[in-house]
Amino acid sequence: MLPLVLLLNACVPASQHDVATRANFATSTLPPMKNFAGSAPKAPIRSNNDLALDFIELSFQMESGRELPVLTRFETPITVRVTGDPTLTLGPDLTSLIRRLRNEAGIDIQQTTASQANITIQAVSRSEIRQVLPQAACFVAPNVSSLAEYRKARRSPKTDWGLLKARERLAIILPNDASPQEVRDCLHEELAQALGPLNDLYRLPDSVFNDDNVHTVLTGFDMLILRTYYDPALRSGMTRGQVAAALPAILARNNPRGLQRSARFATRTPRAWSKSIQTALGRAVSEGSRTDAAQNAIRIAKAMGWQDHRRAFAHYAMGRVLQTTDPKAAHRQYQAAEQFYANTPGTNLHRAYVATQLSAYAITRGDGASALRLIAPHVKTAKASENAALLSTLLLLRSEALELENRHAEARSVRLDSIGWARYGFGPDWAVRAKLREIASLNPLKD
């Protein structure tokens, strides 16, 4: 069964207490890499009541559960510089992201080539990052401007987020030997946390501030949160109560449609559920432990009465555990996940991921027609979400389904189209070719 393309290492701000857990390639013989022209995410349709609760929990707590005493942000125009050995795609992706932050979030931010900046993005190898933080793909840290400076100060009050009064200087450490998409995804998540909230909430279906890592570029919800974070009515040093008192007027300006919308009052996510999900999707424990954890996540979801994306994600996690040993049982779990996602607004991207699993199963059974029906609604979603890895996976699955339907010319055309996206999503030629072989192996005609 086809593995879901997800980064399972969650990104969180790094300090001595809270550690982040979220290429240049040789000339290729494959078709040219494809890039997205830009995104136009829709503004969220949310009650301002719900948005206020989300904002407070995102802004005054770290993912570890540690409470933050005051709001901190940059109080001056923000400058960003790049150091180290960046990939060829980092520059254009950063330019696009800064443009969006200015236009959609109203943040006064710009790139600089000066020797000092408020935010320094340093591109280094993954091995260098792991020497400091073994579980990290990338991270952000306060009051430093380089990996070397963070290494010296990581266990001192200097890099303690809880002691900040305002943000003046931060470092974002990114890998320079990962796929272009992984570098971009790290850039979006870490820059968002450098500017704003330091927490992730599983209850948010349409945000990068979520440990499920489904969304990897900033969404309309994220831009609204950041616009609120930098509203003139807020400032560094404000307490939770002061921010809560200011939010109704701020959100009335920034999200007027939310005034008339009824609040959902989504329940908080128990830590036991989050831990079970992380164990189920991890690789550091036995298969039996992963199965037990997935079952526990489903039990907790049922006990909480969830009918939303969290219930779906628990079933998805169980599917991941079962897919190599019991594909039929895994398929039933993916079908359950799809049902819950279908009834939850804002989960089109989640459904696209589940569609890769459901269509892969159909292909293994030689049912090309069903696979094509499952894939069709989600290609547009993958493009809109700028997810090249997901898009190329869907297109490669479509090509195999077309082969099963004896539509060989179409299959070749779709497969060729997929490769340009795969080069951005998966990186070097060997990784792209491995993905091609992996998906082709699902086709029973090619056994």
Side-chain angles (χ1 to χ4, degrees), residues 73-381:
R73 69 179 192 182
F74 290 97
E75 296 297 340
T76 62
I78 303 163
T79 55
V80 181
R81 67 171 182 152
V82 177
T83 65
D85 185 17
T87 63
L88 294 176
T89 56
L90 177 59
D93 284 339
L94 176 59
T95 298
S96 176
L97 178 54
I98 288 177
R99 184 187 305 116
R100 287 191 59 202
L101 288 167
R102 294 179 66 89
N103 295 339
E104 297 174 42
I107 296 176
D108 189 353
I109 182 172
Q110 62 181 352
Q111 193 168 350
T112 181
T113 57
S115 59
Q116 299 293 327
N118 298 115
I119 299 174
T120 299
I121 300 171
Q122 184 182 19
V124 301
S125 69
R126 284 178 287 191
S127 63
E128 290 178 87
I129 294 174
R130 288 169 183 163
Q131 286 172 12
V132 179
L133 298 174
Q135 303 304 316
C138 47
F139 67 92
V140 58
N143 295 323
V144 296
S145 297
S146 69
L147 182 62
E149 190 178 359
Y150 174 71
R151 186 184 291 113
K152 294 177 182 177
R154 61 181 295 198
R155 292 183 174 88
S156 72
K158 181 178 180 178
T159 55
D160 188 338
W161 289 97
L163 298 179
L164 283 186
K165 302 302 181 184
R167 303 187 195 186
E168 298 175 349
R169 187 167 66 100
L170 292 95
I172 294 173
I173 310 301
L174 301 182
N176 61 11
D177 50 0
S179 72
Q181 179 166 320
E182 184 176 350
V183 175
R184 182 211 61 190
D185 294 352
C186 274
L187 173 66
H188 275 244
E189 293 202 37
E190 303 303 348
L191 188 53
Q193 290 189 319
L195 294 170
L198 301 172
N199 196 10
D200 284 334
L201 299 174
Y202 270 113
R203 72 168 180 261
L204 302 176
D206 54 351
S207 174
V208 300
F209 299 112
N210 188 323
D211 273 334
D212 66 12
N213 292 320
V214 170
H215 288 277
T216 54
V217 300
L218 295 181
T219 67
F221 173 90
D222 301 326
M223 289 298 181
L224 177 56
I225 290 293
L226 289 171
R227 177 177 287 276
T228 301
Y229 216 88
Y230 282 84
D231 190 276
L234 299 181
R235 66 185 183 279
S236 292
M238 292 179 72
T239 65
R240 185 185 187 108
Q242 290 172 324
V243 172
L247 281 176
I250 296 172
L251 292 174
R253 292 194 298 271
N254 292 342
N255 189 48
R257 292 186 302 171
L259 289 169
Q260 307 301 322
R261 196 166 184 86
S262 298
R264 291 179 57 243
F265 296 113
T267 57
R268 289 187 175 182
T269 306
R271 285 203 167 275
W273 184 87
S274 302
K275 184 177 180 180
S276 293
I277 287 291
Q278 291 167 0
T279 301
L281 293 176
R283 289 290 185 270
V285 297
S286 67
E287 185 175 323
S289 296
R290 292 179 63 214
T291 301
D292 291 342
Q295 289 172 339
N296 192 49
I298 293 174
R299 280 195 298 269
I300 293 173
K302 290 179 178 178
M304 295 293 294
W306 290 340
Q307 301 291 310
D308 61 9
H309 57 287
R310 289 172 292 183
R311 174 72 179 273
F313 198 51
H315 287 287
Y316 169 76
M318 179 59 82
R320 284 291 302 272
V321 173
L322 295 173
Q323 65 185 21
T324 55
T325 57
D326 192 344
K328 288 183 179 179
H331 184 66
R332 290 193 293 270
Q333 293 295 327
Y334 293 134
Q335 287 177 317
E338 160 60 17
Q339 290 173 358
F340 286 106
Y341 280 137
N343 292 324
T344 305
T347 59
N348 287 343
L349 186 56
H350 303 70
R351 297 181 69 188
Y353 275 117
V354 175
T356 64
Q357 303 288 5
L358 296 175
S359 59
Y361 184 80
I363 289 169
T364 63
R365 295 173 61 85
D367 189 352
S370 292
L372 291 172
R373 286 194 297 272
L374 288 163
I375 294 164
H378 303 295
V379 172
K380 185 177 180 180
T381 297

